[in-house]
Amino acid sequence: MLSLRSNSKQSYQLHGKLHGHSGAIVRLQATDDGKYLASGGTDGTKAWDLHSMREIAGPTWLETHGATTAMVWVKREDNMTLALVYGTQNSQLVCWQGFKRGEKLVFEEVFIAGPLIKSAEITGLAFDASSNRLAVCHRGGVIQLWTVEDSMALKFVWSQELKNYVPRAVAFSQLEGDERSVLVFPLYGGYIHTLKANKGTVADSPWHISTNIGDVAVNAQKGLVCVDEPSSGANLYALSKPHVRATFPVNTTPGKKRRLRQVALDKDCTTIVSGSDHGVVHVFDRRSQLVEKLRVDAHEWVQTVTIAECGGVLSVFAAKSRDIGRSNEIFVWRKKHTKIPVNPVTLFCAALIAIQLVLMIAVVVVVYEEAIFPIFNLKFRM
């Protein structure tokens, strides 16, 4: 476990709040470019423009869908169309596709799939842009792989059922040849399975985690996975060698039941974000080994968090994770611009060099004048 120090300088400041939800918010997901945010919970799904900090027009939520429980942004490499796929408590898989109306982006519902095999709550979604494949898992122990076609329709690839197993999340592994396998993480601890990309067969030698898993954030490019373990905090693993590389501790409130927390990684895997049961968002910096605590509400469960780079500025998002009986907002913090401290010795040396350069230029000018003006004077006398 790392020995972390609190950051007293408060490098993040509250940028604003997104208003619109009236129930518990249980999922947040930002696009890779940091332009848009999706949120979901007991009152359905919403999409947000992070530049204007306004809600984007989208389909009306239907109570028959159930609460939103998982979501992922989808963008094919050969198609610039943006889409949002989300799963629900009632085993529905819903796709919103983005369309331009004038200068504004709006979302329209293009399909509803489900209920899936052995109807149960969808717990995890993942998309791989290199293969245009969507992985889905639900509480019934079923994991499915689909291809997202150019029209955003789904084409079935395979389905695998893991007996006596409750999947918490799915993710795509690092490249193996020209394909990525599907990683399946259990809710109640146990084996982390690898399902082969071609037929979904279970690979040998799975990982093993003995504690419950609250959430998973995977960066296949960096070969790292962050796992929320309610008993300890956010644990960082290497995909190639599944052992704990670092633990980022998150305290729990004495007497309270341990709750699952979401975790998130920035694209460089240098910043880790975790929720808590006491209204605090923990932002860990792996390089400085500092932890900054962003306060939402001391009396609320803040499980729902994510992180993204918006316009080149690292931004943290969080929301209250239970139905508070009134409007529920999403908090948005942005990292302050950091001024690079100037060393006085360095500044003095730079001033000396500048003075020397000025003197050298002055000498060159004098020598040049001494060499040229006598010739002009001689011509003038002639």
Side-chain angles (χ1 to χ4, degrees):
M1 186 176 292
L2 291 177
S3 178
L4 297 166
R5 296 173 291 121
S6 294
N7 187 357
S8 59
K9 295 182 179 179
Q10 291 296 309
S11 57
Y12 289 85
Q13 62 183 2
L14 186 64
H15 175 71
K17 299 177 184 179
L18 303 174
H19 300 270
H21 279 283
S22 57
I25 301 172
V26 297
R27 297 304 301 181
L28 291 172
Q29 186 78 39
T31 55
D32 290 340
D33 59 12
K35 291 182 178 179
Y36 306 106
L37 178 76
S39 58
T42 55
D43 63 340
T45 299
K46 296 182 182 297
W48 310 86
D49 183 320
L50 293 178
H51 176 72
S52 65
M53 296 287 284
R54 295 179 181 274
E55 184 179 352
I56 302 172
T60 303
W61 176 64
L62 298 176
E63 191 172 351
T64 53
H65 288 352
T68 300
T69 52
M71 52 178 45
V72 66
W73 289 100
V74 172
K75 182 184 282 188
R76 289 173 52 100
E77 290 188 342
D78 58 354
N79 187 336
M80 296 306 293
T81 301
L82 182 67
L84 173 68
V85 176
Y86 68 89
T88 74
Q89 191 175 20
N90 294 346
S91 196
Q92 302 282 343
L93 198 61
V94 184
C95 178
W96 289 4
Q97 187 171 349
F99 297 94
K100 282 284 188 178
R101 286 185 182 169
E103 294 299 318
K104 291 185 177 181
L105 177 71
V106 298
F107 285 99
E108 296 181 4
E109 196 169 87
V110 293
F111 73 72
I112 302 173
L116 302 180
I117 300 171
K118 293 184 66 175
S119 177
E121 174 189 327
I122 293 176
T123 55
L125 293 168
F127 177 70
D128 174 38
S130 63
S131 62
N132 296 318
R133 286 184 166 181
L134 177 73
V136 186
C137 67
H138 69 49
R139 279 183 174 268
V142 175
I143 300 90
Q144 294 183 335
L145 191 68
W146 303 78
T147 296
V148 180
E149 298 188 317
D150 187 55
S151 63
M152 291 298 164
L154 295 183
K155 182 180 179 181
F156 180 77
V157 180
W158 51 254
S159 181
Q160 177 66 261
E161 183 177 355
L162 300 175
K163 299 290 186 181
N164 302 315
Y165 192 91
V166 180
R168 178 65 186 95
V170 286
F172 286 93
S173 69
Q174 293 174 293
L175 273 174
E176 301 166 359
D178 59 350
E179 292 185 324
R180 298 182 191 273
S181 297
V182 176
L183 303 174
V184 188
F185 298 83
L187 174 61
Y188 298 115
Y191 291 109
I192 298 172
H193 290 290
T194 301
L195 306 184
K196 293 299 183 181
N198 53 356
K199 294 183 179 179
T201 53
V202 181
D204 296 331
S205 304
W207 305 6
H208 187 273
I209 291 181
S210 57
T211 63
N212 290 354
I213 293 179
D215 194 31
V216 175
V218 176
N219 187 319
Q221 186 177 3
K222 298 288 185 181
L224 294 173
V225 55
C226 186
V227 176
D228 168 57
E229 298 185 26
S231 61
S232 56
N235 285 349
L236 194 67
Y237 294 83
L239 283 173
S240 57
K241 296 179 180 179
H243 62 272
V244 179
R245 293 185 57 171
T247 295
F248 301 88
V250 178
N251 295 331
T252 56
T253 303
K256 276 190 177 182
K257 179 183 177 181
R258 286 176 178 169
R259 295 184 178 274
L260 308 181
R261 302 174 294 253
Q262 286 185 356
V263 288
L265 288 168
D266 72 335
K267 63 181 181 181
D268 295 323
C269 294
T270 56
T271 305
I272 295 169
V273 179
S274 172
S276 74
D277 68 354
H278 48 275
V280 173
V281 179
H282 294 70
V283 184
F284 302 99
D285 189 317
R286 289 179 62 204
R287 290 170 297 190
S288 65
Q289 294 192 6
L290 291 174
V291 55
E292 186 162 340
K293 297 180 180 181
L294 310 177
R295 300 193 178 276
V296 176
D297 187 330
H299 304 289
E300 292 295 341
W301 173 31
V302 183
Q303 174 236 16
T304 315
V305 299
T306 194
I307 189 170
E309 193 170 293
C310 306
V313 181
L314 202 59
S315 303
V316 174
F317 308 87
K320 298 173 186 177
S321 310
R322 72 179 184 92
D323 195 340
I324 58 178
R326 60 182 186 275
S327 177
N328 195 1
E329 58 263 335
I330 300 167
F331 291 71
V332 182
W333 292 271
R334 290 193 173 174
K335 195 167 188 178
K336 299 176 185 177
H337 176 69
T338 303
K339 294 182 179 179
I340 301 174
V342 179
N343 189 316
V345 176
T346 304
L347 188 62
F348 178 72
C349 292
L352 284 180
I353 293 172
I355 292 170
Q356 288 175 348
L357 286 173
V358 170
L359 290 175
M360 289 174 63
I361 293 170
V363 170
V364 170
V365 170
V366 170
V367 172
Y368 180 78
E369 288 179 347
E370 290 291 333
I372 297 299
F373 285 152
I375 297 175
F376 287 159
N377 291 336
L378 180 61
K379 288 183 178 180
F380 181 76
R381 292 192 189 101
M382 293 175 61

